[in-house]
Amino acid sequence: MDKPLAPSFALVDLEGRTHRLEHYAGQLIWLEFWVTWCSACLDALPRKEVLYRTIQHPKVTFLTIDVTGREASPDHVVAFMKQSAFTFPVLRDEGTKVADAYGVTSVPTTVLIDQQGRIHGRYDETVPLPRIISEIGKLLS
């Protein structure tokens, strides 16, 4: 079965820069969907920060998407990021538009997009991080 093409998006990060999926053509892309109030997200984000800081591969891009439509106060995200000292890029969903386009039904959800721009897999909080990292290794080999 063919894997579906990843839906295109253009989202603004917390610094006001626009990120388009097309900017990362040919890259393996890790998209991490999350919200500030989610306990599973809060447990996972520190590990994702370590992952972000340690993945230094020229063909891997790590992006997170705050699902603003599921936030009680979307403006809280900036303060949350400053308080937590996370350095990974945070894109702001347009409500739940991108999360919905990617079939995200719960947070946190990781979506891997392969180098051909196809969705390789979706992984919720029940999938161990080493399994997702293993999938990256397979895609890069």
Side-chain angles (χ1 to χ4, degrees), residues 11-141:
L11 295 176
V12 177
D13 67 20
L14 297 180
E15 287 76 40
R17 294 180 301 251
T18 299
H19 296 256
R20 299 179 187 284
L21 181 63
E22 295 77 23
H23 292 166
Y24 306 103
Q27 297 279 307
L28 182 137
I29 304 166
W30 178 305
L31 291 182
E32 185 72 23
F33 291 86
W34 62 281
V35 293
T36 59
W37 53 262
C38 162
S39 61
C41 297
L42 298 178
D43 288 343
L45 287 175
R47 292 188 299 280
K48 304 297 171 66
E49 173 70 13
V50 170
L51 181 70
Y52 170 70
R53 289 181 184 208
T54 57
I55 290 182
Q56 299 298 321
H57 195 285
K59 293 289 185 181
V60 177
T61 296
F62 182 93
L63 300 170
T64 72
I65 298 178
D66 175 65
V67 185
T68 59
R70 293 187 182 168
E71 290 283 6
S73 175
D75 294 332
H76 176 67
V77 176
V78 174
F80 172 82
M81 289 299 291
K82 286 180 183 175
Q83 179 183 15
S84 64
F86 294 140
T87 61
F88 48 72
V90 178
L91 313 183
R92 303 187 81 171
D93 200 349
E94 298 169 343
T96 63
K97 182 179 175 181
V98 177
D100 292 344
Y102 277 81
V104 172
T105 58
S106 64
V107 288
T109 292
T110 298
V111 177
L112 291 183
I113 302 170
D114 68 20
Q115 298 93 322
Q116 291 74 42
R118 298 191 174 279
I119 295 177
H120 176 76
R122 283 179 202 83
Y123 311 90
D124 65 16
E125 75 276 2
T126 65
V127 178
L129 188 57
R131 178 172 162 217
I132 303 171
I133 294 168
S134 174
E135 290 298 314
I136 289 175
K138 289 176 190 174
L139 288 168
L140 291 173
S141 60

